[in-house]
Amino acid sequence: MNLIRVKEIIRKALNEDIGAEDLTTEALVPVDHRSSAVLLAKQPGVIAGLPVVDLVFKELDPACQLTRLKPEGAEVTKGTIVARITGPTRAILTGERVALNLLQRMSGIATITRELVKKLDGLSCRVLDTRKTTPGLRVLEKYAVRVGGGTNHRFGLSHGVMLKDNHIAMAGSLAKAVSLVRERVGHMVQIEVEADTLEQVREALSLDVDAILLDNMDLDTLRAAVKLIDGRVWTEASGGITPETVRSIAETGVNGVSLGWLTHSVQALDISLDFEMETGDQ
């Protein structure tokens, strides 16, 4: 992860949550009080985000220490103690909500990604994310996909060309769109084209493109498209893919399946922060 971006996210989140001060904690807890707390998984899943949790508490007080009891990416069961945080009680209480918000969301993403990767066991097809991420959290959400065993699609608009129907309409034709893009971008930039019919696939293959996104095709059309492409470019299936259909789609021979709901509709993993017997004053 890009630590500069991650720290910016954490600082914005803490500023949003704390405002001028943590009224409750500062009224109740002495400055020099220390405590120990654990992160407890309350349902099965894949843990992602422990380095982020560590940074949250250290941002509030460098004296905070996080000890991982399970590694990043571990599959845990209900009741598993994932990590222990020790340090100034004020920092732990004040950072609790932000730390849990990020850890729960990232772990939810890693969990569903791992489930999909397992469904494709034995196939040479990758589980891909998209740019349908929570605004401001993309670096964390795409990291969570990787922890779950998935593969990141382009991080942003500057990391590759994707010619979709609106771009093609603005250019006047697919051929014109590809030509204009090739004139502008460097030789290391890949061009992917969206196609939802076999006719569009044939046109894309006649042009200088590196990948074709096969959008909302049924299984028979996907198989025909993969046969037509015959390994000449990278193939990606997208649109309407569910956990129930992902394997049958992957079995058509596409190189990857991309799923926007991996990040935009994920269910957070239930994790709590529970204080242990208090340590007391320093």
Side-chain angles (χ1 to χ4, degrees):
M1 288 185 292
N2 183 321
L3 286 181
I4 295 175
R5 286 179 176 170
V6 173
K7 288 181 179 180
E8 287 176 351
I9 291 170
I10 290 170
R11 286 167 185 158
K12 287 180 180 179
L14 289 172
N15 280 327
E16 177 184 59
D17 200 34
I18 298 168
E21 61 180 324
D22 180 349
L23 292 171
T24 309
T25 297
E26 292 185 21
L28 297 178
V29 182
V31 174
D32 58 355
H33 194 277
R34 294 179 61 85
S35 292
S36 174
V38 295
L39 293 170
L40 179 70
K42 301 181 75 173
Q43 67 181 108
V46 175
I47 297 300
L50 291 176
V52 178
V53 171
D54 191 25
L55 289 172
V56 169
F57 290 115
K58 279 187 165 59
E59 181 68 26
L60 291 167
D61 195 315
C64 289
Q65 296 293 326
L66 182 139
T67 302
R68 301 186 197 186
L69 303 178
K70 293 294 179 180
E72 186 83 335
E75 296 184 18
V76 300
T77 57
K78 180 180 179 180
T80 300
I81 296 177
V82 175
R84 176 171 286 107
I85 305 114
T86 57
T89 306
R90 283 190 171 190
I92 297 174
L93 282 170
T94 299
E96 175 183 1
R97 185 70 269 151
V98 167
L100 285 176
N101 284 349
L102 297 175
L103 179 65
Q104 290 174 325
R105 182 163 185 80
M106 293 173 70
S107 296
I109 292 169
T111 297
I112 187 59
T113 302
R114 183 73 55 84
E115 290 177 9
L116 292 171
V117 168
K118 287 182 176 181
K119 286 179 180 292
L120 303 189
D121 185 47
L123 302 176
S124 58
C125 180
R126 298 183 182 185
V127 173
L128 307 168
D129 57 22
T130 69
R131 286 169 37 245
K132 296 177 182 178
T133 54
T134 307
L137 298 184
R138 183 170 295 173
V139 64
L140 300 183
E141 294 182 348
K142 281 184 170 283
Y143 166 80
V145 168
R146 297 197 302 275
V147 171
T151 300
N152 292 153
H153 209 292
R154 59 178 180 164
F155 186 85
L157 296 174
S158 63
H159 291 82
V161 173
M162 170 74 79
L163 292 173
K164 300 175 77 69
D165 52 0
N166 286 335
H167 300 111
I168 297 167
M170 292 300 298
S173 69
L174 176 57
K176 183 64 173 178
V178 171
S179 176
L180 289 171
V181 168
R182 278 296 180 205
E183 289 175 6
R184 181 179 179 85
V185 302
H187 68 284
M188 295 183 69
V189 178
Q190 292 199 330
I191 296 177
E192 183 167 8
V193 172
E194 180 183 88
D196 52 27
T197 67
L198 292 178
E199 182 181 352
Q200 290 173 340
V201 171
R202 291 187 184 93
E203 183 181 9
L205 287 171
S206 71
L207 302 170
D208 185 17
V209 303
D210 305 287
I212 300 176
L213 185 153
L214 305 171
D215 190 41
N216 284 301
M217 291 183 175
D218 59 37
L219 291 178
D220 288 339
T221 307
L222 274 173
R223 293 188 192 97
V226 170
K227 183 177 181 180
L228 183 62
I229 293 166
D230 194 28
R232 285 177 282 177
V233 298
W234 167 274
T235 54
E236 169 190 346
S238 184
I241 302 172
T242 68
E244 293 71 33
T245 62
V246 67
R247 184 169 181 94
S248 60
I249 290 171
E251 286 175 338
T252 64
V254 292
N255 300 116
V257 288
S258 57
L259 310 104
W261 53 264
L262 271 185
T263 50
H264 73 59
S265 300
V266 70
Q267 180 178 349
L269 193 70
D270 192 1
I271 303 170
S272 66
L273 186 150
D274 299 330
F275 277 83
E276 299 179 299
M277 184 179 297
E278 66 178 41
T279 306
D281 298 344
Q282 292 180 333

